[in-house]
Amino acid sequence: MVVQADVMQAKKQAERRKRINTGLMLALSVALMLVFLAPLYISFTTSLKSKPELAKNVLGLPRQLYWANYSEAMVRSNFLRSLMNSCIVTFPSVALLVVMSSMGGYAIARFGKERKAIGMMDRIYLAALMIPFQILMIPVYRLYRMLGLQNNLLGVLIMLTGNSMAYSTFLYVGFIKSVPRELEEAALVDGCGTFRAYWTIVFPLLKPITATVAALHIMWHWNDFNISMILLQRDEVRPLTVKQFYFFAEYNKDYPVAFAAAIMSMIPVMLFFSFMQKYIVSGIAAGAVKG
């Protein structure tokens, strides 16, 4: 009887600890959720306030919805033109990145051990991940100025692609190593060349990691500021991120209109990111663990 009582007491203590741990994890999750949602809340509520109301009430809900901020933001930032510029530098650069990094990742994964030059590229890509773009800003600016690629959306597209090549190739290398070689060998026996075997056999199997690379880099390229800021000096070629500067002068900062423009610029990429979200976790896990 004493033993049974001790067992029951131990079970009750274990259940009590489990409930406490569950409650703590729930409280921590809610706190983290509030921390991450706070910037969105502040941005959206600020975009719907007039300047006098914002000065009196910064964190509270707007008493009256001031939608004129959105129309003013569209006019002052030339929103449609800036939106087109963002699309031009984002989506083609990501498509080019997927094609080039997947081919580079395939070469490294399949021939890196046999050919030293290809294997060295893997180490070069890993080293490139450690170099922040701020170190390259001045050389890139001088190079683009010398080549006449300033104020050129094609130049920004090339720079965005090159700047993201190392990380995307790293993801592809890990995932391609998990693809069975027997599939390619069977295609080669049937008379298929290496290039054709890759595009017809291997690349269709890379959908999870391709979706991950596309989703992550569409978000990063869309939100890029540094590259566009130093390479695009003319107003008509600037994307949405650079146009945010238009609402901040030396002695005057129009926060409601600035946040309205920011909200509108976030909507396209947030829709795309939410649609692709289910592929991101599985793709990153497969690329990192299976490598």
Side-chain angles (χ1 to χ4, degrees):
M1 295 295 293
V2 175
V3 175
Q4 291 180 352
D6 292 340
V7 172
M8 292 296 294
Q9 185 67 22
K11 287 183 178 180
K12 290 181 179 179
Q13 292 178 354
E15 291 178 357
R16 189 181 302 112
R17 285 195 298 267
K18 185 177 179 180
R19 287 195 298 269
I20 293 173
N21 292 335
T22 302
L24 291 175
M25 290 299 298
L26 180 61
L28 180 61
S29 299
V30 172
L32 289 175
M33 181 187 68
L34 293 176
V35 169
F36 285 109
L37 290 179
L40 291 176
Y41 166 79
I42 294 173
S43 301
F44 187 67
T45 55
T46 302
S47 70
L48 293 174
K49 296 176 183 177
S50 61
K51 281 186 177 181
E53 183 178 359
L54 180 63
K56 296 179 182 178
N57 182 15
V58 177
L59 298 179
L61 293 171
R63 297 179 180 177
Q64 184 178 0
L65 301 182
Y66 198 74
W67 294 104
N69 291 329
Y70 285 86
S71 58
E72 185 178 350
M74 292 187 68
V75 173
R76 289 174 58 180
S77 65
N78 195 2
F79 183 79
L80 294 180
R81 180 63 187 178
S82 302
L83 177 65
M84 184 181 299
N85 293 336
S86 293
C87 292
I88 290 173
V89 299
T90 299
F91 295 105
S93 66
V94 172
L96 184 62
L97 181 67
V98 166
V99 172
M100 297 181 65
S101 60
S102 64
M103 294 174 65
Y106 175 76
I108 292 172
R110 290 293 187 255
F111 310 112
K113 294 182 179 180
E114 303 171 3
R115 304 176 186 178
K116 293 184 179 180
I118 297 178
M120 183 62 67
M121 288 302 300
D122 189 23
R123 297 177 178 85
I124 293 175
Y125 279 137
L126 290 176
L129 290 173
M130 306 176 189
I131 302 176
F133 178 74
Q134 285 74 10
I135 296 178
L136 306 175
M137 287 176 64
I138 295 177
V140 166
Y141 175 81
R142 296 182 64 179
L143 177 63
Y144 269 62
R145 186 176 180 181
M146 181 180 65
L147 296 176
L149 289 175
Q150 273 190 312
N151 300 313
N152 190 324
L153 294 177
L154 177 61
V156 175
L157 188 153
I158 295 172
M159 187 63 213
L160 288 172
T161 304
N163 191 52
S164 303
M165 188 67 66
Y167 181 66
S168 58
T169 303
F170 170 75
L171 292 178
Y172 271 110
V173 170
F175 194 90
I176 292 174
K177 287 180 179 179
S178 68
V179 178
R181 285 178 175 265
E182 290 76 8
L183 298 174
E184 304 158 57
E185 293 173 353
L188 294 174
V189 170
D190 292 338
C192 209
T194 304
F195 185 79
R196 185 178 176 187
Y198 169 71
W199 282 111
T200 57
I201 304 298
V202 179
F203 188 74
L205 300 176
L206 305 180
K207 289 181 180 179
I209 195 63
T210 297
T212 300
V213 170
L216 291 177
H217 287 86
I218 281 178
M219 180 179 63
W220 293 340
H221 291 187
W222 186 274
N223 294 326
D224 171 74
F225 179 81
N226 291 329
I227 295 176
S228 300
M229 185 65 184
I230 66 172
L231 297 182
L232 300 176
Q233 304 295 328
R234 290 208 310 263
D235 179 67
E236 60 270 17
V237 294
R238 285 179 168 174
L240 289 170
T241 51
V242 180
K243 285 297 185 73
Q244 295 297 314
F245 262 168
Y246 278 56
F247 309 106
F248 299 96
E250 185 176 0
Y251 301 107
N252 182 29
K253 296 175 176 60
D254 200 343
Y255 287 107
V257 179
F259 277 108
I263 291 293
M264 289 190 295
S265 66
M266 286 192 298
I267 291 175
V269 71
M270 286 181 67
L271 291 175
F272 181 85
F273 192 78
S274 61
F275 175 75
M276 302 294 290
Q277 187 176 9
K278 62 181 180 180
Y279 299 103
I280 294 175
V281 176
S282 60
I284 290 180
V289 176
K290 295 181 181 180

Short mmCIF file of all heavy atoms in Angstrom, two decimals, residues 205-239:
data_model
loop_
_atom_site.label_atom_id
_atom_site.label_comp_id
_atom_site.label_asym_id
_atom_site.label_seq_id
_atom_site.Cartn_x
_atom_site.Cartn_y
_atom_site.Cartn_z
N LEU A 205 12.62 16.67 -59.46
CA LEU A 205 12.60 16.14 -58.10
C LEU A 205 12.99 17.19 -57.06
O LEU A 205 12.94 16.92 -55.86
CB LEU A 205 13.54 14.94 -57.99
CG LEU A 205 13.23 13.75 -58.90
CD1 LEU A 205 14.30 12.67 -58.75
CD2 LEU A 205 11.85 13.17 -58.58
N LEU A 206 13.40 18.36 -57.52
CA LEU A 206 13.89 19.41 -56.62
C LEU A 206 12.81 20.43 -56.28
O LEU A 206 13.13 21.56 -55.86
CB LEU A 206 15.09 20.13 -57.26
CG LEU A 206 16.26 19.25 -57.68
CD1 LEU A 206 17.37 20.11 -58.28
CD2 LEU A 206 16.80 18.44 -56.51
N LYS A 207 11.55 20.08 -56.44
CA LYS A 207 10.48 21.04 -56.20
C LYS A 207 10.48 21.61 -54.77
O LYS A 207 10.29 22.81 -54.60
CB LYS A 207 9.13 20.40 -56.51
CG LYS A 207 8.89 20.17 -58.00
CD LYS A 207 7.52 19.55 -58.24
CE LYS A 207 7.29 19.33 -59.74
NZ LYS A 207 5.98 18.70 -59.99
N PRO A 208 10.69 20.80 -53.73
CA PRO A 208 10.67 21.39 -52.38
C PRO A 208 11.75 22.44 -52.17
O PRO A 208 11.47 23.53 -51.65
CB PRO A 208 10.89 20.16 -51.47
CG PRO A 208 10.42 19.00 -52.26
CD PRO A 208 10.78 19.32 -53.68
N ILE A 209 12.98 22.14 -52.56
CA ILE A 209 14.05 23.10 -52.34
C ILE A 209 13.94 24.28 -53.30
O ILE A 209 14.30 25.41 -52.97
CB ILE A 209 15.43 22.41 -52.45
CG1 ILE A 209 16.53 23.30 -51.87
CG2 ILE A 209 15.74 22.04 -53.89
CD1 ILE A 209 16.38 23.56 -50.41
N THR A 210 13.41 24.05 -54.51
CA THR A 210 13.20 25.15 -55.44
C THR A 210 12.15 26.12 -54.91
O THR A 210 12.32 27.34 -55.01
CB THR A 210 12.77 24.60 -56.82
OG1 THR A 210 13.82 23.79 -57.35
CG2 THR A 210 12.49 25.73 -57.79
N ALA A 211 11.09 25.58 -54.34
CA ALA A 211 10.07 26.44 -53.74
C ALA A 211 10.65 27.23 -52.57
O ALA A 211 10.32 28.41 -52.38
CB ALA A 211 8.89 25.59 -53.28
N THR A 212 11.52 26.59 -51.79
CA THR A 212 12.15 27.28 -50.66
C THR A 212 13.03 28.42 -51.14
O THR A 212 12.96 29.54 -50.64
CB THR A 212 12.97 26.28 -49.84
OG1 THR A 212 12.11 25.26 -49.34
CG2 THR A 212 13.65 26.97 -48.68
N VAL A 213 13.90 28.13 -52.10
CA VAL A 213 14.81 29.15 -52.64
C VAL A 213 14.01 30.30 -53.24
O VAL A 213 14.32 31.48 -53.02
CB VAL A 213 15.76 28.52 -53.68
CG1 VAL A 213 16.54 29.61 -54.43
CG2 VAL A 213 16.73 27.57 -53.00
N ALA A 214 12.97 29.98 -54.00
CA ALA A 214 12.17 31.02 -54.64
C ALA A 214 11.46 31.88 -53.60
O ALA A 214 11.49 33.12 -53.69
CB ALA A 214 11.15 30.38 -55.59
N ALA A 215 10.85 31.26 -52.61
CA ALA A 215 10.10 32.02 -51.60
C ALA A 215 11.02 32.93 -50.79
O ALA A 215 10.73 34.11 -50.59
CB ALA A 215 9.36 31.06 -50.67
N LEU A 216 12.14 32.39 -50.32
CA LEU A 216 13.05 33.18 -49.50
C LEU A 216 13.65 34.35 -50.28
O LEU A 216 13.73 35.48 -49.78
CB LEU A 216 14.17 32.29 -48.95
CG LEU A 216 13.76 31.25 -47.91
CD1 LEU A 216 14.97 30.40 -47.52
CD2 LEU A 216 13.19 31.91 -46.68
N HIS A 217 14.07 34.09 -51.51
CA HIS A 217 14.76 35.14 -52.25
C HIS A 217 13.81 36.14 -52.88
O HIS A 217 14.21 37.29 -53.12
CB HIS A 217 15.67 34.51 -53.31
CG HIS A 217 16.89 33.86 -52.71
ND1 HIS A 217 16.89 32.57 -52.24
CD2 HIS A 217 18.14 34.36 -52.47
CE1 HIS A 217 18.07 32.27 -51.75
NE2 HIS A 217 18.85 33.33 -51.88
N ILE A 218 12.59 35.77 -53.15
CA ILE A 218 11.60 36.77 -53.56
C ILE A 218 11.39 37.76 -52.41
O ILE A 218 11.32 38.99 -52.62
CB ILE A 218 10.28 36.10 -53.98
CG1 ILE A 218 10.42 35.55 -55.40
CG2 ILE A 218 9.12 37.09 -53.92
CD1 ILE A 218 9.21 34.82 -55.91
N MET A 219 11.30 37.25 -51.20
CA MET A 219 11.14 38.14 -50.04
C MET A 219 12.37 39.03 -49.87
O MET A 219 12.25 40.24 -49.67
CB MET A 219 10.91 37.31 -48.78
CG MET A 219 10.73 38.14 -47.52
SD MET A 219 10.42 37.13 -46.07
CE MET A 219 11.97 36.21 -45.98
N TRP A 220 13.57 38.44 -49.97
CA TRP A 220 14.80 39.22 -49.75
C TRP A 220 15.04 40.22 -50.88
O TRP A 220 15.42 41.36 -50.63
CB TRP A 220 15.99 38.27 -49.61
CG TRP A 220 15.93 37.43 -48.38
CD1 TRP A 220 15.19 37.69 -47.25
CD2 TRP A 220 16.61 36.21 -48.12
NE1 TRP A 220 15.36 36.70 -46.32
CE2 TRP A 220 16.23 35.77 -46.81
CE3 TRP A 220 17.49 35.42 -48.85
CZ2 TRP A 220 16.73 34.60 -46.24
CZ3 TRP A 220 17.98 34.26 -48.28
CH2 TRP A 220 17.60 33.86 -46.99
N HIS A 221 14.84 39.81 -52.12
CA HIS A 221 15.07 40.73 -53.24
C HIS A 221 14.03 41.84 -53.26
O HIS A 221 14.33 42.99 -53.61
CB HIS A 221 15.05 39.96 -54.56
CG HIS A 221 16.22 39.06 -54.73
ND1 HIS A 221 16.47 38.38 -55.91
CD2 HIS A 221 17.24 38.73 -53.89
CE1 HIS A 221 17.58 37.67 -55.76
NE2 HIS A 221 18.06 37.86 -54.54
N TRP A 222 12.80 41.52 -52.90
CA TRP A 222 11.75 42.54 -52.86
C TRP A 222 12.07 43.59 -51.81
O TRP A 222 11.83 44.78 -52.01
CB TRP A 222 10.42 41.87 -52.56
CG TRP A 222 9.24 42.79 -52.62
CD1 TRP A 222 8.76 43.60 -51.64
CD2 TRP A 222 8.38 43.02 -53.76
NE1 TRP A 222 7.66 44.30 -52.06
CE2 TRP A 222 7.41 43.97 -53.36
CE3 TRP A 222 8.35 42.50 -55.04
CZ2 TRP A 222 6.41 44.40 -54.23
CZ3 TRP A 222 7.36 42.93 -55.90
CH2 TRP A 222 6.40 43.88 -55.49
N ASN A 223 12.60 43.16 -50.67
CA ASN A 223 12.90 44.08 -49.57
C ASN A 223 14.31 44.65 -49.64
O ASN A 223 14.71 45.38 -48.71
CB ASN A 223 12.72 43.36 -48.23
CG ASN A 223 11.28 42.98 -47.96
OD1 ASN A 223 10.36 43.70 -48.36
ND2 ASN A 223 11.07 41.87 -47.30
N ASP A 224 15.07 44.36 -50.69
CA ASP A 224 16.44 44.86 -50.76
C ASP A 224 16.46 46.39 -50.80
O ASP A 224 15.66 47.03 -51.49
CB ASP A 224 17.13 44.32 -52.02
CG ASP A 224 18.47 44.98 -52.26
OD1 ASP A 224 19.42 44.66 -51.53
OD2 ASP A 224 18.54 45.85 -53.15
N PHE A 225 17.39 46.93 -50.03
CA PHE A 225 17.54 48.38 -49.98
C PHE A 225 18.94 48.83 -50.39
O PHE A 225 19.10 49.76 -51.17
CB PHE A 225 17.22 48.89 -48.58
CG PHE A 225 17.38 50.37 -48.42
CD1 PHE A 225 16.39 51.23 -48.85
CD2 PHE A 225 18.53 50.91 -47.86
CE1 PHE A 225 16.53 52.61 -48.71
CE2 PHE A 225 18.69 52.27 -47.72
CZ PHE A 225 17.69 53.13 -48.15
N ASN A 226 19.97 48.16 -49.86
CA ASN A 226 21.34 48.62 -50.06
C ASN A 226 21.74 48.64 -51.54
O ASN A 226 22.27 49.62 -52.05
CB ASN A 226 22.31 47.73 -49.27
CG ASN A 226 22.18 47.92 -47.78
OD1 ASN A 226 21.85 49.01 -47.32
ND2 ASN A 226 22.42 46.87 -47.02
N ILE A 227 21.49 47.52 -52.24
CA ILE A 227 21.91 47.43 -53.64
C ILE A 227 21.18 48.45 -54.49
O ILE A 227 21.78 49.16 -55.30
CB ILE A 227 21.68 46.00 -54.16
CG1 ILE A 227 22.59 45.01 -53.41
CG2 ILE A 227 21.93 45.92 -55.66
CD1 ILE A 227 22.37 43.57 -53.79
N SER A 228 19.87 48.54 -54.31
CA SER A 228 19.09 49.49 -55.11
C SER A 228 19.46 50.93 -54.77
O SER A 228 19.46 51.80 -55.65
CB SER A 228 17.59 49.27 -54.86
OG SER A 228 17.20 47.97 -55.22
N MET A 229 19.79 51.18 -53.52
CA MET A 229 20.12 52.55 -53.10
C MET A 229 21.40 53.06 -53.75
O MET A 229 21.48 54.21 -54.18
CB MET A 229 20.24 52.60 -51.57
CG MET A 229 20.46 53.99 -51.02
SD MET A 229 19.02 55.05 -51.31
CE MET A 229 19.64 56.60 -50.68
N ILE A 230 22.41 52.21 -53.86
CA ILE A 230 23.69 52.68 -54.40
C ILE A 230 23.75 52.60 -55.92
O ILE A 230 24.55 53.31 -56.55
CB ILE A 230 24.86 51.88 -53.79
CG1 ILE A 230 24.81 50.43 -54.22
CG2 ILE A 230 24.88 52.01 -52.29
CD1 ILE A 230 26.03 49.63 -53.82
N LEU A 231 22.91 51.77 -56.55
CA LEU A 231 23.00 51.60 -57.99
C LEU A 231 21.92 52.33 -58.77
O LEU A 231 22.07 52.55 -59.97
CB LEU A 231 22.93 50.10 -58.35
CG LEU A 231 24.07 49.22 -57.82
CD1 LEU A 231 23.89 47.79 -58.27
CD2 LEU A 231 25.42 49.76 -58.26
N LEU A 232 20.83 52.71 -58.12
CA LEU A 232 19.72 53.37 -58.81
C LEU A 232 19.58 54.78 -58.26
O LEU A 232 19.02 54.99 -57.18
CB LEU A 232 18.42 52.59 -58.63
CG LEU A 232 18.43 51.15 -59.16
CD1 LEU A 232 17.12 50.45 -58.85
CD2 LEU A 232 18.71 51.12 -60.67
N GLN A 233 20.09 55.75 -58.99
CA GLN A 233 20.08 57.14 -58.55
C GLN A 233 18.92 57.94 -59.15
O GLN A 233 18.52 58.96 -58.59
CB GLN A 233 21.41 57.82 -58.92
CG GLN A 233 22.64 57.11 -58.38
CD GLN A 233 22.71 57.13 -56.88
OE1 GLN A 233 22.26 58.08 -56.24
NE2 GLN A 233 23.26 56.09 -56.27
N ARG A 234 18.40 57.50 -60.29
CA ARG A 234 17.31 58.24 -60.93
C ARG A 234 15.98 57.81 -60.33
O ARG A 234 15.75 56.65 -60.02
CB ARG A 234 17.32 57.99 -62.44
CG ARG A 234 18.48 58.64 -63.17
CD ARG A 234 18.11 58.97 -64.62
NE ARG A 234 17.52 57.83 -65.29
CZ ARG A 234 18.18 56.99 -66.09
NH1 ARG A 234 19.48 57.15 -66.27
NH2 ARG A 234 17.56 55.99 -66.68
N ASP A 235 15.07 58.77 -60.24
CA ASP A 235 13.79 58.54 -59.58
C ASP A 235 12.94 57.51 -60.33
O ASP A 235 12.28 56.69 -59.71
CB ASP A 235 13.04 59.87 -59.48
CG ASP A 235 11.67 59.69 -58.81
OD1 ASP A 235 11.64 59.36 -57.62
OD2 ASP A 235 10.65 59.84 -59.51
N GLU A 236 12.98 57.52 -61.65
CA GLU A 236 12.07 56.67 -62.43
C GLU A 236 12.44 55.19 -62.39
O GLU A 236 11.65 54.34 -62.82
CB GLU A 236 12.00 57.14 -63.88
CG GLU A 236 13.33 57.12 -64.63
CD GLU A 236 14.07 58.44 -64.49
OE1 GLU A 236 13.73 59.22 -63.59
OE2 GLU A 236 14.98 58.67 -65.31
N VAL A 237 13.62 54.83 -61.90
CA VAL A 237 14.01 53.42 -61.86
C VAL A 237 14.07 52.87 -60.44
O VAL A 237 14.43 51.71 -60.24
CB VAL A 237 15.38 53.22 -62.55
CG1 VAL A 237 15.29 53.50 -64.04
CG2 VAL A 237 16.47 54.06 -61.89
N ARG A 238 13.72 53.67 -59.46
CA ARG A 238 13.84 53.21 -58.07
C ARG A 238 12.66 52.31 -57.69
O ARG A 238 11.52 52.59 -58.05
CB ARG A 238 13.91 54.41 -57.13
CG ARG A 238 15.26 55.09 -57.15
CD ARG A 238 15.31 56.28 -56.24
NE ARG A 238 16.68 56.76 -56.07
CZ ARG A 238 17.01 57.86 -55.41
NH1 ARG A 238 16.06 58.60 -54.87
NH2 ARG A 238 18.27 58.21 -55.30
N PRO A 239 12.92 51.24 -56.93
CA PRO A 239 11.83 50.35 -56.47
C PRO A 239 11.14 50.90 -55.23
O PRO A 239 11.47 51.97 -54.72
CB PRO A 239 12.57 49.04 -56.16
CG PRO A 239 13.95 49.48 -55.75
CD PRO A 239 14.25 50.71 -56.57
#
